[in-house]
Amino acid sequence: MVLFAHNSHRHKRAPVTLSSLFPAISQRRIATNGIELNIAEQGDTSAPLILLLHGFPESWYSWRHQFAPLANAGYHVVAPDMRGYGDSDKPDAIDGYNQVEVVNDIIGLIPALGYETAIVIGHDWGAPTAWSCALNHPDKVTAVGALSVPFSPRADVPPLDMLKVIFKDKFFYQLYFQEPGVGEAELEADVRVSLRKFYHMASGQMDVGLMPDKSADADLLSDLPDPNKMGPWLSDADLDFYVNEFTNSGFRGPLNYYRNHNLTWSLTEGAPTEIHQPALFVAGDRDGVIAMAALALENMPNHVKDLRTNALIPGAGHWTQQEAPEATNEFILDWLKAL
């Protein structure tokens, strides 16, 4: 069940989407880095701060199974809707979604919430953001965790240039997302079907043998299987929540993250290449990102110098903390206890 809470700002932005399934999670908007982010939070506001950063196409709600366990372990748990998502601000300019700006959003949340430091954990797009927070702000980030996307230092060549060489005449979703308006139109044509297909495609339930080889001019969704019913990790109520979020917010902001690969690369020349804070990495062994990033996963200990947890969860796909919440929580809680 999903509830809509309208407020005095309803004419300026979409309504906050609340889930009746998690009444202990509250939401508010916080100013940071020149915008406002909607945050979901649980736990003692004087306890140590953990920031949980979601990926594409998700929201704070992707961390729903982590709030209570982390709050009960003695943490103030905060998961923002990242810029462009949910009830957070959605800057118009495409270049406003480069990772330097996104990292500044998250680092700015720490003093805005009354803290000097935080532990930061990210999934999917939130993972490189979390890694970058630790890499570039070691005075603010005391420990860092990532799900699905391993750390790799800045590449020698612009990422989009590299992807165009690797995929040449083949379809690759990140290249497909580059033309403004194209991905938006396809994903927004039927938000429920789009999300259902995309979530299933990247989950542990997907039969990768059904994934077709596609030419560069193909679209994203038309030849993906529609599961009609998601796996047990995503209930009808969960899907309803996401459908309402993206029906309200659209996909322009989320897709703009992909359009800033090269700008982020140019803005981060001379960035450090080693992370020294205590670190955690967890992913599903059926995650397609892990298959693509096998070399980065292998090399990660060379760059993440205090990698205390480095684990793959059997049977889980890309949606790590949603598909395997118990295993994910166990890894995170054990890691936190040893800090």
Side-chain angles (χ1 to χ4, degrees):
M1 178 179 179
V2 176
L3 308 174
F4 294 96
H6 292 267
N7 55 38
S8 61
H9 298 280
R10 63 184 179 274
H11 300 298
K12 296 180 182 176
R13 62 179 194 271
V16 179
T17 316
L18 303 171
S19 172
S20 61
L21 303 177
F22 298 91
I25 300 174
S26 62
Q27 292 181 68
R28 57 185 166 126
R29 279 169 56 99
I30 297 287
T32 173
N33 190 33
I35 64 170
E36 288 190 3
L37 297 183
N38 176 56
I39 65 164
E41 62 187 330
Q42 186 172 341
D44 181 353
T45 55
S46 65
L49 176 63
I50 289 186
L51 297 174
L52 304 176
L53 314 181
H54 70 79
F56 174 89
E58 299 174 277
S59 85
W60 71 261
Y61 190 75
S62 68
W63 298 100
R64 61 196 175 277
H65 303 299
Q66 283 68 52
F67 278 90
L70 293 176
N72 292 339
Y75 291 91
H76 180 199
V77 187
V78 172
D81 282 332
M82 305 295 280
R83 68 164 56 202
Y85 284 85
D87 200 47
S88 289
D89 283 354
K90 303 165 185 66
D92 289 330
I94 291 174
D95 63 8
Y97 294 81
N98 71 78
Q99 278 296 297
V100 174
E101 286 298 335
V102 175
V103 166
N104 288 340
D105 292 348
I106 302 310
I107 293 301
L109 274 182
I110 299 171
L113 290 164
Y115 291 85
E116 294 183 358
T117 62
I119 297 166
V120 183
I121 303 175
H123 167 254
D124 184 75
W125 261 113
T129 304
W131 290 127
S132 294
C133 284
L135 186 71
N136 296 294
H137 300 274
D139 57 325
K140 295 281 197 299
V141 179
T142 57
V144 60
L147 309 181
S148 182
V149 182
F151 175 76
S152 54
R154 181 180 180 274
D156 293 330
V157 297
L160 286 175
D161 300 22
M162 187 164 48
L163 290 173
K164 287 172 184 174
V165 170
I166 292 170
F167 289 95
K168 295 179 185 168
D169 300 324
K170 293 183 179 178
F171 177 87
F172 184 58
Y173 72 105
Q174 295 191 27
L175 295 174
Y176 173 71
F177 288 160
Q178 292 305 309
E179 182 63 36
V182 174
E184 288 92 330
E186 186 180 10
L187 289 163
E188 291 168 9
D190 187 327
V191 172
R192 184 174 300 274
V193 171
S194 296
L195 290 176
R196 196 165 59 209
K197 284 187 170 188
F198 197 85
Y199 291 154
H200 177 69
M201 177 266 297
S203 75
Q205 285 81 46
M206 178 64 180
D207 179 355
V208 293
L210 298 176
M211 289 289 284
D213 281 330
K214 305 202 287 190
S215 62
D217 60 355
D219 66 13
L220 177 69
L221 298 170
S222 59
D223 52 6
L224 288 182
D226 186 345
N228 293 314
K229 178 80 173 171
M230 296 300 300
W233 65 274
L234 195 77
S235 70
D236 290 342
D238 296 332
L239 183 59
D240 287 345
F241 184 94
Y242 285 122
V243 170
N244 281 315
E245 288 284 84
F246 286 100
T247 299
N248 286 333
S249 70
F251 286 88
R252 176 181 163 86
L255 291 173
N256 282 342
Y257 284 68
Y258 294 95
R259 295 167 184 153
N260 277 278
H261 279 313
N262 282 6
L263 178 57
T264 296
W265 182 85
S266 67
L267 292 173
T268 53
E269 185 175 1
T273 59
E274 293 182 354
I275 291 173
H276 294 274
Q277 294 96 319
L280 164 143
F281 181 77
V282 178
D285 71 351
R286 289 180 57 81
D287 186 344
V289 173
I290 290 300
M292 286 192 297
L295 188 60
L297 181 64
E298 181 182 338
N299 290 334
M300 186 166 54
N302 297 327
H303 303 287
V304 182
K305 296 299 188 178
D306 193 5
L307 184 60
R308 300 184 181 187
T309 300
N310 187 6
L312 296 180
I313 300 173
H318 181 64
W319 316 109
T320 321
Q321 75 273 27
Q322 298 184 80
E323 291 187 62
E326 294 84 5
T328 302
N329 292 347
E330 187 174 346
F331 281 122
I332 293 174
L333 289 168
D334 286 348
W335 173 70
L336 291 171
K337 281 178 194 168
L339 291 180

